[in-house]
Amino acid sequence: MLKGYVPPYNATVVQKLLDQGALLMGKTNLDEFAMGSGSTDGIFGPVKNPWSYSKQYREKRKQNSHSENEDSNWLITGGSSGGSAAAVSAFTCFAALGSDTGGSTRNPAAHCGVVGLKPSYGLVSRHGLIPLVNSMDVPGILTRCVDDAATVLGILAGHDPKDSTTIQDPVKPFTLPSLTDVSKLCIGIPKEYLTPELSSEVQSLWSRAANLFESEGAKVIEVSLPHTSYSIMCYHVLCTSEVASNMARFDGLEYGHRCDNDVSTEAMYAATRREGFNDVVRGRILSGNFFLLRENYENYFVKAQKVRRLIANDFVNVFNSGVDVLLTPTTLSEAVPYTEFIKEDNRTRSAQDDIFTQAVNMAGLPAVSVPMALSSQGLPIGLQFIGRAFCDQQLLTVAKWFEKQVQFPVIQLQELMDDCSSVFENEKLASVSVK
Amino acid sequence: MWARAVRLRAAARGRRGFTSKADSQGSGRVTGELIQHLERLSLVDFGSQEAVARLEKAIAFADRLRAVNTDGVEPMESVLEDRCLYLRSDNVVEGSCAEELLQNSHRVVEEYFVAPPGNISWSKLDEKQPFSHR
């Protein structure tokens, strides 16, 4: 739909980075219009997870004596900001921006072994971010370590007159303290997030993380978010409804792809949109318009808005009871092979994969996915921390402590290893200066 | 009546061409009439029976929300509902980039975007133009 489109302005977040001297290296691949949880539905093709080519993964595969062609069974990055996560994971850049509407930054971060931060809604400007769900979108930040994410957030956060949904409270760049004492911290473990679909590996890492906090003196308690099981349906209704509205601006008239149909404006719009949108996008627009029909509006859209309030209140209640940060899995399992992922359609996959991440978007809270450890197959698994609204700094402080404790291994990409083997042996580096 | 016309048109268009069937399978919730209505509202088409099936699944999925008791609960539109919306003062601070904006469009004449004639209600059955296949 946006073929040939050259934006006549920079997004605020991009401009802020450029003003700080950042070098824009490029634009990354994603699911079309950020709809998807695998980065497989983009117009440029699917995104391959760099860990597919890592020494850690390949060695495990050899052990399991899979002798087929290495390249045919590559893994997905997760989505929808998969390209950004892959770029950061493969040391292509210092940091990357993504978007997070239902987990689109945190999901690929977990699959690619990088830090994926979703700031509080209203902290970072959405001016220039193609809107999907105006009440839930935020620009996401992907980096290799929590300190980097904090640095980038410090630059990007703050009121923007061009985005009236940004809060007006003053925000300053900050450095994260290095916590040594977590005894005053209260970590909440939401029990409803223990679903049957959760893989045993992720579950055991989740328990290990909770035990880690406890052993270091933090208070770790089980909490309840009672409406968790309904949040994915609620998200589905609200997301498709807002999408139906937001996608209406793409008509081919002022920018983007345009079809050669001149019968009437509506005929031209219809033909253009049929050509310009893939099945996923069209499916969501149609579903959204169904929920917004006069006869369905109360029963679906307004109902979902009410459920949204219940979900947001669940979080408020938990935080009010003294919990500082919630600890949950980010994804159900490690990254899966592409051939396996595409066996189900996009909508089903999104409903499955967004399960731990979308409730946070509905409540507008900050959340960060931090890589914890490698799975038995040598693939990254990340865990999610959820903080109170606008307490991003506290959230990142806890995440940084955790990151230091778990010492997630650096990805070993063969070519890189040959050049910089001595550098890797000596220190765990977040940013590498390649000779 | 229109169902017959649709089937003829579907045959004419070949593999890609079908938008609605009078005898749609599934829960029956998504009738041919609803399909037409949604396509008209959205100005995108379903494109296949799979897409209709997906819509039915999506509706069934959303129906599970009925189990939640929301009596007395106000709908939530924004998480920032307790804050005042910022309104900047009505001063022009940037703009005058008409040329740049016009460059993005496929069809312009002088400083106008060119659109096909409006006020013609879109109806797929009347459409004479062939669709380009993907």
Side-chain angles (χ1 to χ4, degrees):
Chain A
M1 198 72 212
L2 288 172
K3 185 174 168 185
Y5 174 67
V6 177
Y9 65 99
N10 286 335
T12 301
V13 290
V14 172
Q15 192 59 53
K16 283 187 170 180
L17 289 173
L18 294 175
D19 289 342
Q20 292 289 324
L23 289 173
L24 180 66
M25 304 215 40
K27 297 190 180 184
T28 50
N29 202 357
L30 71 166
D31 277 312
E32 182 163 325
F33 282 110
M35 299 188 195
S37 61
S39 299
T40 50
D41 283 318
I43 200 83
F44 298 108
V47 185
K48 296 185 184 180
N49 192 328
W51 283 86
S52 319
Y53 306 100
S54 67
K55 194 165 158 198
Q56 288 107 325
Y57 179 62
R58 291 201 152 173
E59 271 176 4
K60 294 284 180 184
R61 281 187 75 74
K62 283 206 198 93
Q63 277 171 23
N64 299 337
S65 60
H66 285 239
S67 53
E68 86 274 358
N69 178 13
E70 292 285 339
D71 204 39
S72 64
N73 222 13
W74 51 269
L75 310 152
I76 57 159
T77 46
S80 58
S81 302
S84 295
V88 173
S89 170
F91 289 93
T92 312
C93 54
F94 168 74
L97 294 177
S99 70
D100 197 314
T101 306
S104 296
T105 296
R106 292 160 283 153
N107 182 304
H111 283 318
C112 293
V114 297
V115 172
L117 170 64
K118 175 215 169 286
S120 301
Y121 179 84
L123 194 59
V124 180
S125 170
R126 289 183 299 113
H127 176 74
L129 176 69
I130 295 184
L132 206 63
V133 183
N134 298 73
S135 61
M136 296 186 211
D137 289 343
V138 285
I141 297 168
L142 292 141
T143 54
R144 282 185 287 273
C145 73
V146 178
D147 271 326
D148 290 349
T151 310
V152 178
L153 181 64
I155 307 295
L156 298 184
H159 177 64
D160 181 15
K162 296 181 193 167
D163 177 0
S164 59
T165 56
T166 49
I167 55 162
Q168 292 161 67
D169 303 353
V171 171
K172 287 193 318 243
F174 51 88
T175 36
L176 294 175
S178 293
L179 261 187
T180 42
D181 172 27
V182 291
S183 57
K184 298 198 184 48
L185 219 49
C186 179
I187 309 287
I189 310 283
K191 63 179 189 211
E192 290 86 358
Y193 279 53
L194 182 61
T195 62
E197 297 86 19
L198 185 62
S199 85
S200 52
E201 275 195 289
V202 178
Q203 189 180 338
S204 91
L205 282 176
W206 187 20
S207 297
R208 257 178 44 200
N211 292 338
L212 172 66
F213 276 100
E214 203 162 34
S215 66
E216 294 292 321
K219 188 168 156 208
V220 178
I221 54 172
E222 191 187 71
V223 295
S224 176
L225 298 168
H227 295 93
T228 300
S229 56
Y230 296 107
S231 73
I232 187 80
M233 294 130 214
C234 178
Y235 172 74
H236 166 71
V237 173
L238 293 176
C239 176
T240 49
S241 304
E242 292 220 31
V243 157
S245 168
N246 278 322
M247 294 292 125
R249 73 192 69 203
F250 298 109
D251 54 22
L253 208 53
E254 301 97 340
Y255 50 81
H257 174 66
R258 177 177 175 149
C259 177
D260 274 334
N261 186 319
D262 272 337
V263 171
S264 68
T265 33
E266 290 196 358
M268 189 275 277
Y269 293 170
T272 299
R273 288 157 68 84
R274 179 190 312 121
E275 288 175 13
F277 289 143
N278 71 8
D279 288 336
V280 177
V281 181
R282 296 204 325 262
R284 290 205 193 185
I285 295 173
L286 290 161
S287 302
N289 276 322
F290 175 82
F291 297 130
L292 293 171
L293 288 176
R294 201 178 307 145
E295 63 261 25
N296 294 331
Y297 192 81
E298 273 293 325
N299 293 335
Y300 289 98
F301 186 67
V302 177
K303 179 85 181 177
Q305 286 187 314
K306 293 180 179 178
V307 177
R308 181 179 182 177
R309 181 177 296 282
L310 292 174
I311 291 167
N313 284 347
D314 279 354
F315 281 103
V316 167
N317 291 338
V318 162
F319 285 123
N320 280 347
S321 70
V323 171
D324 296 303
V325 163
L326 292 168
L327 170 62
T328 77
T330 311
T331 51
L332 288 169
S333 69
E334 75 230 331
V336 298
Y338 174 71
T339 43
E340 169 122 0
F341 186 79
I342 52 173
K343 286 182 187 163
E344 294 275 7
D345 71 80
N346 184 297
R347 193 197 66 82
T348 315
R349 283 298 182 206
S350 297
Q352 292 165 347
D353 299 334
D354 285 344
I355 196 147
F356 300 122
T357 49
Q358 34 73 27
V360 167
N361 291 81
M362 291 211 282
L365 301 171
V368 60
S369 175
V370 181
M372 178 172 176
L374 294 183
S375 69
S376 58
Q377 293 212 55
L379 295 174
I381 293 182
L383 292 183
Q384 171 176 242
F385 291 93
I386 305 172
R388 298 170 196 237
F390 303 110
C391 293
D392 301 54
Q393 193 171 346
Q394 183 193 39
L395 173 72
L396 288 173
T397 306
V398 176
K400 178 172 164 175
W401 179 88
F402 180 72
E403 177 188 57
K404 185 146 185 258
Q405 295 292 314
V406 299
Q407 294 285 308
F408 182 76
V410 179
I411 185 176
Q412 287 167 24
L413 293 169
Q414 213 53 46
E415 315 85 86
L416 221 59
M417 279 307 291
D418 292 336
D419 290 328
C420 321
S421 46
S422 56
V423 176
F424 276 100
E425 269 154 34
N426 293 332
E427 47 212 299
K428 175 190 181 319
L429 288 175
S431 337
V432 175
S433 52
V434 180
K435 289 186 214 129
Chain B
M1 189 59 195
W2 59 264
R4 189 154 44 100
V6 166
R7 272 198 280 271
L8 285 173
R9 187 141 273 276
R13 268 193 249 138
R15 191 186 68 85
R16 198 213 125 273
F18 126 65
T19 51
S20 48
K21 265 183 176 173
D23 48 19
S24 66
Q25 303 110 313
S27 64
R29 198 66 194 280
V30 184
T31 61
E33 197 183 317
L34 179 66
I35 290 172
Q36 257 207 321
H37 186 44
L38 285 177
E39 287 186 338
R40 172 81 178 65
L41 278 178
S42 321
L43 288 182
V44 292
D45 65 331
F46 278 89
S48 66
Q49 181 65 358
E50 282 91 52
V52 178
R54 262 180 266 145
L55 175 65
E56 285 179 349
K57 270 196 243 161
I59 298 171
F61 193 57
D63 276 336
R64 283 151 68 177
L65 277 180
R66 288 172 196 232
V68 186
N69 181 355
T70 52
D71 294 337
V73 181
E74 283 295 303
M76 176 184 246
E77 272 148 23
S78 164
V79 293
L80 302 177
E81 57 190 1
D82 292 331
R83 293 177 183 250
C84 270
L85 195 68
Y86 169 75
L87 291 176
R88 64 182 173 88
S89 48
D90 192 11
N91 299 322
V92 176
V93 292
E94 58 179 14
S96 302
C97 52
E99 262 187 56
E100 259 185 281
L101 294 175
L102 288 168
Q103 263 167 30
N104 271 321
S105 173
H106 281 254
R107 225 165 282 183
V108 293
V109 167
E110 293 181 9
E111 286 200 332
Y112 292 91
F113 294 111
V114 178
N119 287 342
I120 300 176
S121 182
W122 181 64
S123 165
K124 297 197 77 164
L125 305 170
D126 296 340
E127 224 168 353
K128 304 281 185 278
Q129 299 266 341
F131 305 113
S132 43
H133 291 234
R134 280 232 230 157

